[in-house]
């Protein structure tokens, strides 16, 4: 039995997916999450085999959620089912660890076949996404994402640390609570294997981060 978590913001589309999966032999729906944060918690609670992930989610994006899930549970396969089809999103999703990329225009039969393939250990892309992936990966101008073990938010926090901002200043800049920033900083230290702010700054500078001046907003 393949256990699947569905991550989808839109209730009607989620209901259709859950109904489709429930009709497939050998598939059990382990739960539904409507945001990236919910997805991470649900995967930790249910230990599914597959997470069918929308990428456009409120709060934590599907890409960030994928990266976090793959970091915590590397045995879980995460295929994307999304409306986002631009090259940058596809590449970022691959770097985050997706095992497939399907657009929401896929037919129920295509979704079913893709899930079966992912469950068997294969990587699946629809034709359009696959062509763009091959073209983008062969482009020498495509640069790898720095420190891929960090989520997008953790990378943003580290960038601001390296730029000289304190935790309260980072909280104000990113419209987060200081407690949330402290949690992100702790996660950054743990993932980078560093024990203090100076060592984290050194790793960030080696990765090309920290170029922003503290007085200027990011991006």
């Amino acid at each position: 039995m393949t256990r699947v978590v569905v991550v989808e913001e839109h209730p009607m589309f989620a209901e259709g997916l859950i109904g489709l999966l429930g009709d497939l032999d050998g598939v059990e729906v382990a739960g539904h999450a409507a945001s990236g944060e919910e997805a991470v918690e649900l995967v930790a609670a249910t230990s599914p085999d597959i997470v069918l992930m929308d990428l456009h989610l409120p709060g934590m994006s599907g890409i960030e959620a994928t990266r976090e899930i793959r970091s915590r549970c590397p045995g879980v396969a995460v295929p994307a089912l999304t409306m986002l089809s631009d090259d940058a999103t596809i590449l970022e999703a691959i770097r985050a660890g997706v095992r497939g990329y399907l657009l929401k225009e896929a037919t129920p039969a295509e979704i079913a076949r893709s899930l079966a393939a992912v469950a068997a250990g294969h990587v699946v892309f629809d034709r359009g996404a696959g062509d763009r992936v091959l073209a983008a990966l062969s482009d020498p101008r495509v640069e790898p994402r720095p420190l891929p073990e960090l989520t997008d938010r953790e990378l943003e926090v580290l960038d601001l640390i390296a730029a000289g901002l304190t935790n309260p200043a980072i909280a104000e800049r990113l419209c987060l609570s200081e407690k949330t920033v402290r949690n992100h900083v702790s996660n950054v230290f743990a993932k980078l294997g560093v024990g203090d702010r100076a060592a984290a700054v050194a790793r960030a500078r080696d990765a090309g981060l920290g170029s922003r001046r503290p007085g200027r907003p990011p991006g």
Side-chain angles (χ1 to χ4, degrees), residues 34-209:
S35 70
E37 292 86 351
E38 289 180 14
V40 172
E41 293 179 2
L42 184 58
V43 169
T46 60
S47 300
D49 302 295
I50 293 175
V51 178
L52 190 57
M53 178 72 73
D54 187 12
L55 299 184
H56 188 268
L57 297 169
M60 176 187 284
S61 73
I63 289 175
E64 291 179 27
T66 297
R67 189 175 291 115
E68 189 69 18
I69 289 168
R70 294 284 297 156
S71 174
R72 296 186 185 189
C73 309
V76 176
V78 185
L81 180 62
T82 181
M83 294 180 65
L84 302 177
S85 60
D86 59 284
D87 293 356
T89 299
I90 293 172
L91 284 175
E92 191 69 8
I94 292 170
R95 289 169 180 153
V98 299
R99 298 287 297 174
Y101 204 102
L102 298 172
L103 298 181
K104 287 186 176 180
E105 62 193 37
T107 66
E110 289 171 336
I111 294 173
R113 285 196 299 269
S114 297
L115 277 180
V118 170
H122 302 297
V123 178
V124 179
F125 295 97
D126 76 4
R127 181 173 180 179
D131 290 343
R132 287 194 295 277
V133 167
L134 291 175
L137 291 178
S138 64
D139 188 342
R141 296 171 297 177
V142 175
E143 297 181 0
R145 180 184 185 277
L147 302 175
E149 64 268 35
L150 302 183
T151 67
D152 290 348
R153 180 64 85 187
E154 289 165 356
L155 194 67
E156 190 172 20
V157 168
L158 179 60
D159 190 21
L160 294 175
I161 290 173
L165 274 69
T166 63
N167 284 3
I170 293 172
E172 182 178 359
R173 179 71 61 86
L174 300 180
C175 299
L176 300 172
S177 70
E178 289 187 35
K179 179 180 179 181
T180 297
V181 170
R182 287 196 299 271
N183 289 339
H184 285 312
V185 171
S186 295
N187 289 338
V188 168
F189 285 9
K191 290 182 179 181
L192 296 184
V194 299
D196 56 36
R197 216 171 181 90
V201 169
R203 287 291 305 276
R205 294 283 171 80
D206 288 343
L209 302 178

